[in-house]
Amino acid sequence: MSTFAKPENALKRAEELINVGQKQDALQALHDLITSKRYRAWQKPLERIMFKYVELCVDLRRGRFAKDGLIQYRIVCQQVNVTSLEEVIKHFMHLSTEKAEQARSQAQALEEALDVDDLEADKRPEDLMLSYVSGEKGKDRSDRELVTPWFKFLWETYRTVLEILRNNSKLEALYAMTAHRAFQFCKQYKRTTEFRRLCEIIRNHLANLNKYRDQRDRPDLSAPESLQLYLDTRFEQLKVATELELWQEAFRSVEDIHGLMCMVKKTPKASLMVVYYAKLTEIFWISSSHLYHAYAWLKLFTLQKSFNKNLSQKDLQMIASSVVLAALAVAPYDHTQGASHLELENEKERNMRMANLIGFNLDLKPENREVLSRSSLLSELVSKGVMSCATQEVKDLYHLLEHEFLPLDLTAKVQPLLSKISKLGGKLASASSLPEVHLSQYVPALEKLATLRLLQQVSQVYQTMKVESLSQMIPFFDFSAVEKISVDAVKHNFIAVKLDHMKHVVLFDTQDLESDGLRDHLTVFAESLNKARAMIYPPIKKSSKLGEILPGLGEIVDKEHKRLLARKSIIEKRKEEQERQLLEMEREEESRRLKQQKITEEAEQKRLAAEYEQRNKQRILREIEERELEEAQALLEEHEKRSKRKGGKKPILEGEKVTKQILMERALSEQLRERQEMEKKLQKLVKTMDYLERAKREEAAPLIEAAFQQRLVEERALHEHEQQQEIELSRQRHDGDLREKNRLSRMLENKIIFEERGQSRRESEFNQRRAEREERINQIVQARKQEREALRKKIFFVRSEEERLKRLREEEEARKHEEAERRRKEEAEHKAKLDRIAEKQRQRELELEEKERIRREALLVDGPSRSSELPAGPEPGAAAAPAPGKYVPRFRRGGTEGSAQAPPETDRWGGGSSRPAPLDSDKWSSGSARQPHSDTDRWGSGGRPDDRNPPSDRWGGGSKSTWSSRQRGR
C-alpha cells in the first residue's frame, strides 16, 4: 500500500499510470488513498480524486471498487459537505448511463453495417459455422458481448447508489431521482426481473427506515417534502408496473402507497389520487374483480367532479358512463352462496382489505358483511347523481336490465344499445391523468348480464321452452356459451334451470306462490293492468292546491340544491385556503428551524474537525513510536530464543545500545547463516535419496521381467479359450439362420408380388403427380409470361407518355423563351425609339429657349419703343417678359388702365405669335390652355429655364400619362 503526503500526489500518480496504460494500478492507488484512515477530513482535492476514481471504475467496470469508495467518501463528507457526495454520485450515474448508451449504439451500428463480400450470398461460411457452433444470431451475440456487460454495470450502479443514499435525509431528492431513473431504465429496456428486484429493494429500505427510528440522519416522513418525494417514487413505480403489465407488482405498489398514506395520516394531492384510482381500475379489471373495479371508478368520478375545475361536460359524461357500465358488469348473484364459514371469513377479510385500498370505511360487525355489493353500489350511483350524468344509451341500458320485465324482447332492445355503447370512448381532453375510456370493454360482461336477466325473466313466465327458441332469443352467444352461463347461475342459486338434450328442451322449475319471483311477476302484471285501465278510462282531473304547488316545487328544490352546492364549494375553498396557510406556516417554521440547525451544525462540525485533526496527528505519532518499539522488542525476543535454542552466546553486549536497525541487521545475518546450513543438509539428503532409488530399481528389474512373462502365458490361454467359444457360438447362429431361411422361403413369391404391386401403384401415382406438377408449372410460366408482357407494355406506355410530356414541356419552355426574347427585343426597340424622340424634343426646347433668351435681351436693350417693330412681337398692350433679378412695374406686368386685357403669357407659341410653332397645335392644344401669372408658373419652381420639370409641369394641363400618349401619337 503506497502512502502519499498529500492527496494531490495520489491524483498525479494515478494520471501518470493512466497515461502509460495502467488503469488498474491507478484505480488501486486511488482506492488505497480513499480507504486510508489518514484522510478522514474532507478537503477539496478529495472531490477531484473521487471524480477520477469513479471514471476509472466505470471504464474498468469495477462496481465493487466504486461502492467501497463511495461508502468511504460518504463517511468523510456526511457531516461537512453533502453536496460534494451528491455531485460525485450524479457524475457516476451519468458516466454509467453514457457508457451503456454508447454500447447500445455501437451494437446497432455493427448490426446495420454491411460486411458481406458477396452481395448475392446470404451468409459467409464463417458466419454459418459460428452460428451453428454458438447457437445464437449475430444481434444476440453482439448484445451479449457489447451491450449486456454495460447494462449489468448500469443496473449495479443504480443498486449501489440506492444502497448508499437509503438512510440519508439530506439526499432524499437524489435518492428519488435515482429511483426514477432506475424505473425508466427497466421500462425502456423491458427489464421485468430487475424491476421486481428494484421494487423489493425500495420496499425493504422503507421497512428498515420504520424499523430503526433512532438513526441520526434518518429521513422524517412527517415532513411534507419527504412525504411528497416518497409518494412520487411510489406513484412512478405504479405507473411503470402497469406499463410493463406486471399486475402483481402493481398491486403491491398500490399497497405500498396506501401503507405510506396510513403511516403519515395525510391524504396526498388530488392529482396523485386520480392516478392511484386510475391504476386501481386497470388492476382490478385485469384480475376480473369487477366489483372493486366499479368502486374504484366511482371514487375516480367523485375526485374528478370535486377537484377538476376544467372538466368538460362531455368528459364527465364519459366517466359517469364508465362508472355505470362497470357497476352493471358485476355479476348479479353472490359468489359466496353455499360457501363454508372459513371461505366467508376469508371473503370478509378480502372485502375489508380491498375497501381500505379503495377508500371505503367498512364496519366490522358481522351483519355488515355485504357492504361492498352490486345492489348497494347501484343504489349509491343513483343517490349521488352519477346516473344522471351518464349518456342516454347507458341510462336506457340500465333501465332495461334493472327495472324492465321483457322476457321476449329484452335482448332485442339491448343489442342496439350495446352496439352504440361499443363505439363510445377515447382520450379525455380535460382529464389528462385518466387513461383512455373504452366502453367497449364492458360489452361482453353486459351481454352476459342481459343473458342472465333474460333467463331469469323467462323462468318466471315459462315452464318449458325449446332450445332453438331460446337460442333465437339470445343473439349474443351460441347455445354452448348460454349453457355454461346457465350452469354457473344455477350453481350460485340465481335461477333454476334443467337442460334435456334428448328432447332439446329447457325446463324451468316451478316455484310456489310465496316465492319472490312469482310475487314480483304478479306485481308487475297488476301495474301493467292499472296503466292500461288509466289509458282507457282516464281519471277526472281535479284542481287542488297541491297541483298548484307542484310545478314550482322543482324550481325550489333546484335552487336549494344549487345553494347547498355553492355553500359546499365555499366551505371547501375555505378549508383549502386554511390548509394552504397552515402548510405555508409549517414550511416557514421548518425552514427557520433547518437554517438555525444548519448554522449550529456547521459550527459544531468545524470544531469537531479541528479537534479530530489534532487528535489524529497525535495518535499517528504515538502509534509510529509504539510500533517501532514493539517491532524492536519482538525482534530482540526472537533472537534471544534462537540463540538459547542453539546454545550460542548472547548476541548483545552489555552497555551496547539496542536499536531496531541493529537488531534487523543481526537477524538478517543469522537468517543467512541458517539458510546456508540448510542448503548443505539438503544437498547431502539428495545424494542419499539418489543412491537408495538406484538400488531399489536394480533389485526390482528381474522381478518385473518374471511377472511379465507369466502374464503373457495367462493371456495366451485366455485368448484361445475365448476364440473357441466364439467359433461355437457362430456355428449355432449359422444353423439357426439356415432354419429361418427355409421357413421364410415359402413366402418369397408372395413377397415379390406384393413388392411389384406396391411399386406399380407408386410409379403410377408418381407419374400422375409429375404430370400435374408439369401442368401447374406450365400454367405458372404462362401466367408469369403474361404478367411480364403486361408489365413491359405498361412500362413502355409509361415511358412513352413521360417522353411525350417531357417533349411537350420542352417545346412549351422553348416557345415561352422565344416569346420572352421577342418581347424583350420589342421593348428595347421601343425604349430606343422613345429615347430618340425625347432627345429631339430636348434639342428643340433648347433651341427655343435660346431664341427666347435672345429676344428678351433685345427687348431689354432697345426699350419698349422698339417692341412694336419686332417682326414677330406680341400684340399691343402685352407686357414683355421681365428679366430675371429686376423689378418690373405693374403696368408692364398687367397692362395699363384703359387698355384691353392682354392675352395670357402661356400662349406665346400659338395664336398671335409670328414664330413658327415647334409642334402641331392639335398635339399641344392642352398646353395652350394654361395661363400662368408669373415666370414661376412658366418655368417651374426655380424661376429659371435651366431648372426643367417634366413635360406635364412645363406645358401645363396634362399628366404623365397624357404626355406619354402624345409621344405615342407623335
Side-chain angles (χ1 to χ4, degrees):
M1 177 179 176
S2 59
T3 58
F4 299 93
K6 294 182 180 180
E8 294 87 346
N9 299 337
L11 184 59
K12 292 179 181 178
R13 177 61 178 166
E15 290 176 352
E16 292 173 359
L17 291 173
I18 291 171
N19 292 331
V20 297
Q22 299 180 4
K23 291 187 177 181
Q24 183 62 41
D25 296 338
L27 179 63
Q28 187 64 43
L30 294 180
H31 182 266
D32 295 340
L33 176 73
I34 293 168
T35 56
S36 175
K37 294 182 179 180
R38 294 182 61 185
Y39 308 100
R40 289 299 175 88
W42 185 87
Q43 45 188 329
K44 188 63 177 177
L46 284 179
E47 183 175 353
R48 291 189 281 110
I49 291 173
M50 282 302 299
F51 277 108
K52 181 61 69 177
Y53 180 76
V54 297
E55 289 175 5
L56 290 173
C57 290
V58 172
D59 289 337
L60 300 175
R61 291 204 296 267
R62 296 291 187 269
R64 180 61 60 186
F65 277 78
K67 185 175 182 180
D68 294 342
L70 289 173
I71 290 174
Q72 294 296 328
Y73 193 64
R74 181 186 64 181
I75 296 172
V76 171
C77 62
Q78 175 72 30
Q79 305 297 332
V80 182
N81 190 359
V82 185
T83 309
S84 178
L85 176 62
E86 182 178 359
E87 295 297 326
V88 171
I89 290 175
K90 286 182 179 179
H91 186 62
F92 180 41
M93 288 194 297
H94 173 71
L95 290 176
S96 302
T97 307
E98 188 177 4
K99 287 290 185 181
E101 291 295 330
Q102 288 179 0
R104 182 165 170 265
S105 61
Q106 186 178 359
Q108 289 179 355
L110 288 175
E111 181 186 355
E112 295 172 0
L114 183 62
D115 191 14
V116 180
D117 296 332
D118 187 4
L119 295 177
E120 294 181 0
D122 294 334
K123 287 187 177 180
R124 294 180 298 176
E126 308 91 276
D127 297 336
L128 290 174
M129 291 176 64
L130 186 61
S131 64
Y132 288 137
V133 172
S134 62
E136 59 185 0
K137 298 180 180 179
K139 181 179 185 302
D140 299 334
R141 186 163 57 252
S142 63
D143 289 345
R144 179 173 57 82
E145 294 174 357
L146 297 175
V147 181
T148 304
W150 282 112
F151 276 14
K152 287 182 179 179
F153 182 76
L154 180 59
W155 169 246
E156 188 178 359
T157 299
Y158 288 135
R159 291 193 60 175
T160 300
V161 173
L162 290 174
E163 187 68 25
I164 291 173
L165 302 176
R166 60 190 178 93
N167 289 330
N168 199 325
S169 60
K170 299 177 182 179
L171 296 175
E172 288 177 330
L174 185 59
Y175 178 86
M177 186 195 74
T178 307
H180 282 237
R181 293 180 66 174
F183 288 142
Q184 293 302 319
F185 167 81
C186 297
K187 172 186 172 183
Q188 183 178 0
Y189 302 108
K190 307 296 182 185
R191 308 303 303 172
T192 56
T193 305
E194 285 78 11
F195 179 77
R196 293 191 185 95
R197 292 174 184 169
L198 179 62
C199 296
E200 195 64 30
I201 289 170
I202 295 177
R203 201 172 288 118
N204 291 335
H205 288 175
L206 184 61
N208 293 332
L209 188 66
N210 296 323
K211 185 176 179 181
Y212 304 104
R213 296 178 177 271
D214 54 349
Q215 293 181 354
R216 180 177 180 182
D217 294 321
R218 171 185 172 274
D220 187 10
L221 292 179
S222 60
E225 294 81 6
S226 302
L227 174 63
Q228 189 63 36
L229 288 174
Y230 275 82
L231 282 176
D232 290 340
T233 304
R234 266 59 184 184
F235 276 102
E236 184 67 19
Q237 175 182 335
L238 176 59
K239 291 178 183 178
V240 175
T242 54
E243 290 176 1
L244 293 176
E245 296 183 357
L246 299 175
W247 303 111
Q248 186 176 5
E249 198 62 41
F251 184 76
R252 296 185 68 185
S253 302
V254 168
E255 289 185 330
D256 292 342
I257 294 172
H258 182 262
L260 200 60
M261 290 190 294
C262 294
M263 188 189 305
V264 298
K265 304 293 183 183
K266 191 170 183 179
T267 305
K269 297 179 182 178
S271 59
L272 294 179
M273 294 307 296
V274 167
V275 177
Y276 175 84
Y277 287 116
K279 298 304 179 183
L280 267 182
T281 57
E282 296 182 23
I283 294 170
F284 287 142
W285 182 257
I286 293 296
S287 62
S288 298
S289 302
H290 294 169
L291 181 61
Y292 306 132
H293 172 76
Y295 271 101
W297 261 116
L298 178 59
K299 293 294 291 184
L300 200 56
F301 172 83
T302 306
L303 276 174
Q304 286 290 330
K305 190 176 180 181
S306 302
F307 295 97
N308 195 349
K309 307 301 181 183
N310 300 324
L311 189 65
S312 62
Q313 185 65 29
K314 183 179 179 181
D315 293 346
L316 181 64
Q317 199 174 33
M318 293 299 297
I319 298 173
S321 301
S322 299
V323 176
V324 177
L325 292 179
L328 288 176
V330 182
Y333 44 79
D334 187 9
H335 289 278
T336 60
Q337 186 72 26
S340 63
H341 178 70
L342 181 60
E343 292 176 350
L344 291 176
E345 290 298 322
N346 290 336
E347 184 66 19
K348 179 183 176 182
E349 183 180 357
R350 184 167 179 263
N351 281 342
M352 292 293 299
R353 184 181 174 189
M354 295 299 117
N356 289 331
L357 287 179
I358 297 171
F360 285 86
N361 296 322
L362 300 184
D363 196 355
L364 297 177
K365 295 181 180 179
E367 58 270 19
N368 294 330
R369 182 178 296 164
E370 295 183 357
V371 172
L372 287 181
S373 63
R374 184 176 185 274
S375 57
S376 61
L377 176 60
L378 289 174
S379 61
E380 192 170 1
L381 294 183
V382 176
S383 62
K384 288 188 176 181
V386 180
M387 198 70 66
S388 60
C389 297
T391 60
Q392 188 61 38
E393 292 85 1
V394 175
K395 293 178 184 177
D396 297 340
L397 182 65
Y398 168 78
H399 187 68
L400 283 173
L401 294 177
E402 298 298 323
H403 298 294
E404 288 291 338
F405 185 84
L406 301 169
L408 300 178
D409 302 330
L410 182 62
T411 55
K413 293 186 177 181
V414 166
Q415 189 174 10
L417 293 177
L418 290 180
S419 63
K420 292 181 182 178
I421 289 172
S422 63
K423 298 177 182 178
L424 299 177
K427 186 70 177 178
L428 301 181
S430 56
S432 58
S433 301
L434 287 180
E436 293 185 3
V437 177
H438 296 292
L439 302 184
S440 58
Q441 64 180 352
Y442 302 106
V443 171
L446 294 174
E447 291 175 352
K448 183 179 178 181
L449 176 64
T451 304
L452 288 173
R453 290 299 186 198
L454 180 67
L455 291 173
Q456 183 185 26
Q457 295 177 8
V458 168
S459 65
Q460 297 176 8
V461 178
Y462 296 92
Q463 292 183 349
T464 305
M465 179 177 285
K466 291 183 179 180
V467 172
E468 294 82 5
S469 302
L470 187 61
S471 299
Q472 292 176 1
M473 293 171 61
I474 303 174
F476 309 122
F477 309 103
D478 52 350
F479 190 74
S480 60
V482 175
E483 186 177 358
K484 292 180 182 179
I485 294 172
S486 304
V487 169
D488 192 37
V490 171
K491 176 184 176 182
H492 294 95
N493 201 17
F494 182 70
I495 55 175
V497 179
K498 292 181 181 178
L499 299 175
D500 192 346
H501 289 282
M502 294 183 65
K503 297 180 181 180
H504 296 286
V505 294
V506 181
L507 303 175
F508 300 97
D509 288 352
T510 58
Q511 298 175 345
D512 54 357
L513 293 176
E514 297 298 326
S515 66
D516 294 336
L518 189 58
R519 184 171 65 248
D520 294 340
H521 172 60
L522 293 176
T523 304
V524 172
F525 183 68
E527 291 177 355
S528 301
L529 289 177
N530 286 331
K531 289 180 181 178
R533 181 178 177 279
M535 292 175 65
I536 297 171
Y537 302 104
I540 300 172
K541 296 182 180 179
K542 295 180 179 180
S543 60
S544 61
K545 294 182 178 180
L546 184 62
E548 297 176 358
I549 295 173
L550 284 177
L553 186 60
E555 297 179 359
I556 295 172
V557 171
D558 292 339
K559 290 181 181 179
E560 188 67 20
H561 181 64
K562 291 179 180 178
R563 188 181 64 81
L564 291 176
L565 290 177
R567 184 171 179 272
K568 182 180 178 181
S569 63
I570 292 171
I571 292 172
E572 290 177 353
K573 288 181 181 178
R574 289 177 180 175
K575 287 182 178 179
E576 292 176 358
E577 184 67 23
Q578 188 175 4
E579 290 178 357
R580 188 181 62 78
Q581 292 178 358
L582 290 174
L583 185 61
E584 290 180 357
M585 292 174 63
E586 290 177 359
R587 288 179 179 174
E588 292 177 358
E589 185 67 26
E590 184 68 17
S591 63
R592 286 197 297 270
R593 184 181 65 80
L594 291 175
K595 188 176 181 181
Q596 185 65 29
Q597 183 180 357
K598 186 177 180 181
I599 294 172
T600 307
E601 288 179 355
E602 288 178 355
E604 184 68 18
Q605 287 170 2
K606 290 180 181 179
R607 186 182 64 81
L608 291 175
E611 293 179 356
Y612 181 73
E613 189 176 357
Q614 185 67 24
R615 286 197 302 270
N616 278 343
K617 291 180 180 179
Q618 296 176 0
R619 179 178 55 79
I620 289 168
L621 295 174
R622 188 169 59 252
E623 286 178 355
I624 292 172
E625 294 176 357
E626 292 176 355
R627 192 180 298 113
E628 289 181 353
L629 290 175
E630 289 175 359
E631 290 176 355
Q633 188 68 25
L635 289 173
L636 181 60
E637 292 176 357
E638 184 179 358
H639 195 67
E640 289 178 354
K641 288 179 182 178
R642 289 180 180 176
S643 61
K644 288 178 181 179
R645 186 169 60 250
K646 295 179 180 180
K649 60 180 181 180
K650 292 184 178 180
I652 301 174
L653 300 175
E654 294 180 359
E656 184 180 359
K657 185 178 180 181
V658 180
T659 61
K660 180 181 177 182
Q661 188 67 23
I662 295 172
L663 292 174
M664 289 180 67
E665 290 177 357
R666 292 189 178 182
L668 289 173
S669 62
E670 187 69 22
Q671 288 177 2
L672 181 61
R673 185 179 59 80
E674 290 177 357
R675 190 179 298 113
Q676 292 175 355
E677 292 177 358
M678 184 63 67
E679 288 178 355
K680 292 178 181 179
K681 291 181 181 179
L682 287 174
Q683 290 177 358
K684 190 182 294 183
L685 182 61
V686 165
K687 189 178 293 185
T688 304
M689 292 296 294
D690 191 12
Y691 290 157
L692 288 174
E693 186 66 25
R694 186 183 302 160
K696 285 195 296 183
R697 292 189 180 185
E698 289 176 355
E699 291 293 330
L703 298 176
I704 291 172
E705 182 65 25
F708 177 69
Q709 295 298 331
Q710 184 181 358
R711 178 72 178 273
L712 285 177
V713 173
E714 291 175 357
E715 288 184 351
R716 187 178 294 111
L718 179 62
H719 174 68
E720 291 175 355
H721 178 67
E722 289 180 352
Q723 190 173 10
Q724 190 67 26
Q725 286 182 352
E726 183 65 26
I727 292 170
E728 186 67 27
L729 288 174
S730 298
R731 186 179 292 110
Q732 292 177 3
R733 283 196 296 270
H734 180 68
D735 295 339
D737 291 342
L738 288 176
R739 288 193 300 272
E740 186 69 19
K741 179 182 179 183
N742 293 329
R743 187 178 68 83
L744 295 175
S745 62
R746 295 181 288 107
M747 296 180 286
L748 181 60
E749 295 179 357
N750 295 331
K751 175 240 183 187
I752 292 171
I753 293 170
F754 179 76
E755 285 182 351
E756 291 177 353
R757 187 186 305 162
Q759 188 174 1
S760 62
R761 186 177 68 252
R762 291 184 179 179
E763 185 176 359
S764 62
E765 185 179 354
F766 170 74
N767 293 331
Q768 182 183 356
R769 290 189 178 180
R770 183 169 62 182
E772 292 177 356
R773 179 175 176 274
E774 290 177 355
E775 184 180 358
R776 188 166 61 255
I777 289 172
N778 291 332
Q779 291 177 359
I780 293 173
V781 168
Q782 291 297 330
R784 289 184 179 176
K785 284 183 179 179
Q786 293 176 1
E787 289 178 0
R788 284 198 298 271
E789 186 65 26
L791 182 61
R792 193 177 297 112
K793 290 181 180 180
K794 185 177 180 180
I795 292 172
F796 175 74
F797 175 74
V798 171
R799 287 180 178 174
S800 61
E801 186 66 19
E802 289 179 352
E803 290 177 357
R804 187 181 65 82
L805 294 176
K806 183 178 180 181
R807 189 168 59 254
L808 289 176
R809 284 196 299 270
E810 291 177 354
E811 291 176 357
E812 182 67 20
E813 290 178 357
R815 186 183 60 81
K816 290 182 179 179
H817 183 69
E818 292 176 359
E819 184 69 21
E821 287 291 333
R822 185 182 59 80
R823 192 180 298 111
R824 189 171 65 253
K825 289 180 180 179
E826 290 179 356
E827 289 178 355
E829 292 176 356
H830 183 65
K831 185 177 180 182
K833 185 177 180 181
L834 291 179
D835 292 340
R836 288 195 300 271
I837 294 172
E839 184 65 26
K840 291 179 180 180
Q841 182 66 26
R842 198 177 302 112
Q843 292 176 0
R844 291 176 184 175
E845 289 177 358
L846 292 174
E847 292 176 358
L848 293 174
E849 288 175 359
E850 185 64 26
K851 291 177 181 180
E852 178 64 19
R853 185 178 61 79
I854 294 171
R855 186 184 66 84
R856 289 167 58 190
E857 289 178 355
L859 289 174
L860 292 174
V861 172
D862 296 339
S865 60
R866 297 183 60 186
S867 61
S868 59
E869 299 177 2
L870 290 175
E875 294 180 1
K886 288 187 177 183
Y887 172 75
V888 181
R890 185 181 296 274
F891 68 90
R892 291 197 179 272
R893 284 182 287 164
T896 57
E897 295 180 4
S899 63
Q901 184 68 28
E905 188 81 11
T906 307
D907 198 7
R908 61 181 180 272
W909 308 122
S913 178
S914 61
R915 293 178 179 270
L919 295 175
D920 296 339
S921 60
D922 56 349
K923 294 180 181 179
W924 299 92
S925 58
S926 59
S928 61
R930 187 179 177 193
Q931 300 177 3
H933 298 283
S934 64
D935 291 333
T936 305
D937 295 330
R938 186 182 306 126
W939 302 112
S941 58
R944 294 193 306 271
D946 296 334
D947 299 331
R948 288 184 293 273
N949 288 325
S952 59
D953 295 330
R954 186 182 300 121
W955 307 106
S959 61
K960 291 183 180 181
S961 60
T962 308
W963 182 82
S964 61
S965 63
R966 291 167 183 163
Q967 294 293 333
R968 285 195 298 270
R970 181 183 304 175

